[in-house]
PDB file of all heavy atoms in Angstrom:
ATOM      1  N   ALA A  89      17.981  40.254-192.156  1.00 90.00           N
ATOM      2  CA  ALA A  89      18.335  40.134-190.713  1.00 90.00           C
ATOM      3  C   ALA A  89      19.092  38.868-190.424  1.00 90.00           C
ATOM      4  O   ALA A  89      19.512  38.640-189.259  1.00 90.00           O
ATOM      5  CB  ALA A  89      17.172  40.279-189.901  1.00 90.00           C
ATOM      6  N   LEU A  90      19.264  37.931-191.464  1.00 92.00           N
ATOM      7  CA  LEU A  90      19.868  36.606-191.192  1.00 92.00           C
ATOM      8  C   LEU A  90      21.164  36.717-190.538  1.00 92.00           C
ATOM      9  O   LEU A  90      22.058  37.404-190.836  1.00 92.00           O
ATOM     10  CB  LEU A  90      20.023  35.859-192.543  1.00 92.00           C
ATOM     11  CG  LEU A  90      20.588  34.502-192.521  1.00 92.00           C
ATOM     12  CD1 LEU A  90      19.609  33.559-191.738  1.00 92.00           C
ATOM     13  CD2 LEU A  90      20.819  33.954-193.890  1.00 92.00           C
ATOM     14  N   GLY A  91      21.343  35.981-189.395  1.00 93.00           N
ATOM     15  CA  GLY A  91      22.521  35.999-188.576  1.00 93.00           C
ATOM     16  C   GLY A  91      23.586  35.082-189.137  1.00 93.00           C
ATOM     17  O   GLY A  91      23.358  34.364-190.035  1.00 93.00           O
ATOM     18  N   MET A  92      24.818  35.201-188.532  1.00 93.00           N
ATOM     19  CA  MET A  92      25.904  34.393-188.923  1.00 93.00           C
ATOM     20  C   MET A  92      25.638  32.955-188.666  1.00 93.00           C
ATOM     21  O   MET A  92      26.081  32.054-189.429  1.00 93.00           O
ATOM     22  CB  MET A  92      27.123  34.729-188.097  1.00 93.00           C
ATOM     23  CG  MET A  92      27.507  36.209-188.107  1.00 93.00           C
ATOM     24  SD  MET A  92      28.102  36.717-189.657  1.00 93.00           S
ATOM     25  CE  MET A  92      28.384  38.344-189.348  1.00 93.00           C
ATOM     26  N   ALA A  93      24.911  32.630-187.533  1.00 95.00           N
ATOM     27  CA  ALA A  93      24.575  31.244-187.209  1.00 95.00           C
ATOM     28  C   ALA A  93      23.179  31.117-186.805  1.00 95.00           C
ATOM     29  O   ALA A  93      22.818  31.190-185.611  1.00 95.00           O
ATOM     30  CB  ALA A  93      25.517  30.765-186.025  1.00 95.00           C
ATOM     31  N   PRO A  94      22.198  30.998-187.798  1.00 96.00           N
ATOM     32  CA  PRO A  94      20.827  31.223-187.526  1.00 96.00           C
ATOM     33  C   PRO A  94      20.176  30.149-186.654  1.00 96.00           C
ATOM     34  O   PRO A  94      18.954  30.213-186.419  1.00 96.00           O
ATOM     35  CB  PRO A  94      20.227  31.206-188.979  1.00 96.00           C
ATOM     36  CG  PRO A  94      21.196  30.555-189.884  1.00 96.00           C
ATOM     37  CD  PRO A  94      22.556  30.774-189.137  1.00 96.00           C
ATOM     38  N   SER A  95      20.820  29.017-186.297  1.00 97.00           N
ATOM     39  CA  SER A  95      20.278  28.004-185.402  1.00 97.00           C
ATOM     40  C   SER A  95      20.906  27.952-184.078  1.00 97.00           C
ATOM     41  O   SER A  95      20.549  27.115-183.242  1.00 97.00           O
ATOM     42  CB  SER A  95      20.243  26.683-186.094  1.00 97.00           C
ATOM     43  OG  SER A  95      19.500  26.712-187.300  1.00 97.00           O
ATOM     44  N   VAL A  96      21.762  28.900-183.697  1.00 97.00           N
ATOM     45  CA  VAL A  96      22.536  28.873-182.485  1.00 97.00           C
ATOM     46  C   VAL A  96      21.554  29.107-181.243  1.00 97.00           C
ATOM     47  O   VAL A  96      20.620  29.851-181.335  1.00 97.00           O
ATOM     48  CB  VAL A  96      23.657  29.861-182.601  1.00 97.00           C
ATOM     49  CG1 VAL A  96      23.198  31.270-182.453  1.00 97.00           C
ATOM     50  CG2 VAL A  96      24.785  29.563-181.541  1.00 97.00           C
ATOM     51  N   GLN A  97      21.915  28.554-180.161  1.00 97.00           N
ATOM     52  CA  GLN A  97      21.316  28.813-178.791  1.00 97.00           C
ATOM     53  C   GLN A  97      22.020  30.012-178.268  1.00 97.00           C
ATOM     54  O   GLN A  97      23.254  29.974-178.212  1.00 97.00           O
ATOM     55  CB  GLN A  97      21.347  27.607-177.922  1.00 97.00           C
ATOM     56  CG  GLN A  97      20.687  27.754-176.630  1.00 97.00           C
ATOM     57  CD  GLN A  97      19.138  27.817-176.802  1.00 97.00           C
ATOM     58  OE1 GLN A  97      18.627  27.019-177.560  1.00 97.00           O
ATOM     59  NE2 GLN A  97      18.526  28.632-175.962  1.00 97.00           N
ATOM     60  N   ILE A  98      21.283  30.986-177.781  1.00 98.00           N
ATOM     61  CA  ILE A  98      21.856  32.249-177.174  1.00 98.00           C
ATOM     62  C   ILE A  98      21.626  32.284-175.695  1.00 98.00           C
ATOM     63  O   ILE A  98      20.392  32.365-175.335  1.00 98.00           O
ATOM     64  CB  ILE A  98      21.424  33.514-177.874  1.00 98.00           C
ATOM     65  CG1 ILE A  98      21.756  33.509-179.322  1.00 98.00           C
ATOM     66  CG2 ILE A  98      22.030  34.759-177.149  1.00 98.00           C
ATOM     67  CD1 ILE A  98      21.143  34.588-180.185  1.00 98.00           C
ATOM     68  N   ASP A  99      22.659  32.213-174.875  1.00 97.00           N
ATOM     69  CA  ASP A  99      22.507  32.496-173.501  1.00 97.00           C
ATOM     70  C   ASP A  99      22.915  33.926-173.276  1.00 97.00           C
ATOM     71  O   ASP A  99      24.054  34.292-173.431  1.00 97.00           O
ATOM     72  CB  ASP A  99      23.440  31.551-172.551  1.00 97.00           C
ATOM     73  CG  ASP A  99      22.809  30.120-172.569  1.00 97.00           C
ATOM     74  OD1 ASP A  99      21.787  29.870-173.190  1.00 97.00           O
ATOM     75  OD2 ASP A  99      23.444  29.294-171.996  1.00 97.00           O
ATOM     76  N   SER A 100      22.006  34.731-172.854  1.00 97.00           N
ATOM     77  CA  SER A 100      22.070  36.205-172.778  1.00 97.00           C
ATOM     78  C   SER A 100      22.292  36.593-171.337  1.00 97.00           C
ATOM     79  O   SER A 100      21.420  36.289-170.442  1.00 97.00           O
ATOM     80  CB  SER A 100      20.931  36.871-173.468  1.00 97.00           C
ATOM     81  OG  SER A 100      20.973  38.341-173.321  1.00 97.00           O
ATOM     82  N   TYR A 101      23.343  37.420-171.106  1.00 97.00           N
ATOM     83  CA  TYR A 101      23.682  37.943-169.707  1.00 97.00           C
ATOM     84  C   TYR A 101      23.750  39.451-169.792  1.00 97.00           C
ATOM     85  O   TYR A 101      24.158  40.041-170.801  1.00 97.00           O
ATOM     86  CB  TYR A 101      24.968  37.408-169.298  1.00 97.00           C
ATOM     87  CG  TYR A 101      25.140  35.931-169.161  1.00 97.00           C
ATOM     88  CD1 TYR A 101      25.324  35.066-170.253  1.00 97.00           C
ATOM     89  CD2 TYR A 101      24.924  35.353-167.913  1.00 97.00           C
ATOM     90  CE1 TYR A 101      25.449  33.765-170.085  1.00 97.00           C
ATOM     91  CE2 TYR A 101      25.093  33.991-167.749  1.00 97.00           C
ATOM     92  CZ  TYR A 101      25.371  33.198-168.827  1.00 97.00           C
ATOM     93  OH  TYR A 101      25.405  31.817-168.698  1.00 97.00           O
ATOM     94  N   ASP A 102      23.583  40.073-168.661  1.00 95.00           N
ATOM     95  CA  ASP A 102      23.961  41.550-168.584  1.00 95.00           C
ATOM     96  C   ASP A 102      25.461  41.506-168.106  1.00 95.00           C
ATOM     97  O   ASP A 102      26.046  40.400-167.867  1.00 95.00           O
ATOM     98  CB  ASP A 102      23.141  42.311-167.605  1.00 95.00           C
ATOM     99  CG  ASP A 102      23.285  41.933-166.066  1.00 95.00           C
ATOM    100  OD1 ASP A 102      24.069  41.110-165.833  1.00 95.00           O
ATOM    101  OD2 ASP A 102      22.532  42.556-165.287  1.00 95.00           O
ATOM    102  N   TRP A 103      26.030  42.660-168.103  1.00 93.00           N
ATOM    103  CA  TRP A 103      27.514  42.685-167.866  1.00 93.00           C
ATOM    104  C   TRP A 103      27.842  42.867-166.509  1.00 93.00           C
ATOM    105  O   TRP A 103      29.004  42.929-166.075  1.00 93.00           O
ATOM    106  CB  TRP A 103      28.181  43.824-168.739  1.00 93.00           C
ATOM    107  CG  TRP A 103      27.588  45.241-168.375  1.00 93.00           C
ATOM    108  CD1 TRP A 103      27.304  45.761-167.222  1.00 93.00           C
ATOM    109  CD2 TRP A 103      27.421  46.262-169.447  1.00 93.00           C
ATOM    110  NE1 TRP A 103      26.774  47.021-167.432  1.00 93.00           N
ATOM    111  CE2 TRP A 103      27.002  47.444-168.780  1.00 93.00           C
ATOM    112  CE3 TRP A 103      27.696  46.336-170.769  1.00 93.00           C
ATOM    113  CZ2 TRP A 103      26.718  48.615-169.355  1.00 93.00           C
ATOM    114  CZ3 TRP A 103      27.408  47.565-171.427  1.00 93.00           C
ATOM    115  CH2 TRP A 103      27.008  48.637-170.715  1.00 93.00           C
ATOM    116  N   GLY A 104      26.915  42.827-165.530  1.00 92.00           N
ATOM    117  CA  GLY A 104      27.130  43.009-164.186  1.00 92.00           C
ATOM    118  C   GLY A 104      28.134  42.025-163.474  1.00 92.00           C
ATOM    119  O   GLY A 104      28.935  42.487-162.536  1.00 92.00           O
ATOM    120  N   SER A 105      28.203  40.833-163.938  1.00 93.00           N
ATOM    121  CA  SER A 105      29.063  39.794-163.336  1.00 93.00           C
ATOM    122  C   SER A 105      29.734  39.028-164.396  1.00 93.00           C
ATOM    123  O   SER A 105      29.968  37.868-164.369  1.00 93.00           O
ATOM    124  CB  SER A 105      28.297  38.831-162.480  1.00 93.00           C
ATOM    125  OG  SER A 105      27.706  39.507-161.329  1.00 93.00           O
ATOM    126  N   ASP A 106      30.085  39.699-165.459  1.00 92.00           N
ATOM    127  CA  ASP A 106      30.645  39.155-166.658  1.00 92.00           C
ATOM    128  C   ASP A 106      31.844  38.216-166.446  1.00 92.00           C
ATOM    129  O   ASP A 106      31.932  37.051-166.952  1.00 92.00           O
ATOM    130  CB  ASP A 106      30.881  40.123-167.682  1.00 92.00           C
ATOM    131  CG  ASP A 106      31.843  41.278-167.328  1.00 92.00           C
ATOM    132  OD1 ASP A 106      32.200  41.362-166.176  1.00 92.00           O
ATOM    133  OD2 ASP A 106      32.219  41.938-168.281  1.00 92.00           O
ATOM    134  N   ASP A 107      32.814  38.702-165.720  1.00 91.00           N
ATOM    135  CA  ASP A 107      33.960  37.874-165.504  1.00 91.00           C
ATOM    136  C   ASP A 107      33.714  36.535-164.808  1.00 91.00           C
ATOM    137  O   ASP A 107      34.133  35.469-165.311  1.00 91.00           O
ATOM    138  CB  ASP A 107      35.087  38.598-164.627  1.00 91.00           C
ATOM    139  CG  ASP A 107      35.731  39.714-165.430  1.00 91.00           C
ATOM    140  OD1 ASP A 107      35.633  39.648-166.706  1.00 91.00           O
ATOM    141  OD2 ASP A 107      36.280  40.635-164.818  1.00 91.00           O
ATOM    142  N   ALA A 108      32.973  36.624-163.814  1.00 93.00           N
ATOM    143  CA  ALA A 108      32.531  35.353-162.976  1.00 93.00           C
ATOM    144  C   ALA A 108      31.632  34.398-163.925  1.00 93.00           C
ATOM    145  O   ALA A 108      31.889  33.230-163.888  1.00 93.00           O
ATOM    146  CB  ALA A 108      31.871  35.623-161.696  1.00 93.00           C
ATOM    147  N   GLU A 109      30.694  34.947-164.606  1.00 94.00           N
ATOM    148  CA  GLU A 109      29.892  34.138-165.438  1.00 94.00           C
ATOM    149  C   GLU A 109      30.605  33.554-166.621  1.00 94.00           C
ATOM    150  O   GLU A 109      30.398  32.373-166.889  1.00 94.00           O
ATOM    151  CB  GLU A 109      28.760  35.037-165.911  1.00 94.00           C
ATOM    152  CG  GLU A 109      27.728  35.506-164.876  1.00 94.00           C
ATOM    153  CD  GLU A 109      26.830  36.549-165.196  1.00 94.00           C
ATOM    154  OE1 GLU A 109      27.059  37.290-166.324  1.00 94.00           O
ATOM    155  OE2 GLU A 109      25.817  36.668-164.620  1.00 94.00           O
ATOM    156  N   MET A 110      31.547  34.284-167.181  1.00 92.00           N
ATOM    157  CA  MET A 110      32.322  33.683-168.331  1.00 92.00           C
ATOM    158  C   MET A 110      33.214  32.548-167.825  1.00 92.00           C
ATOM    159  O   MET A 110      33.310  31.496-168.447  1.00 92.00           O
ATOM    160  CB  MET A 110      33.164  34.820-168.920  1.00 92.00           C
ATOM    161  CG  MET A 110      32.421  35.686-169.756  1.00 92.00           C
ATOM    162  SD  MET A 110      33.548  36.891-170.678  1.00 92.00           S
ATOM    163  CE  MET A 110      33.857  38.104-169.302  1.00 92.00           C
TER     164      MET A 110
END
Side-chain angles (χ1 to χ4, degrees):
L90 182 63
M92 308 288 179
S95 297
V96 75
Q97 182 72 39
I98 299 172
D99 284 0
S100 179
Y101 297 84
D102 70 3
W103 59 37
S105 300
D106 55 351
D107 289 339
E109 290 166 342
M110 286 184 280

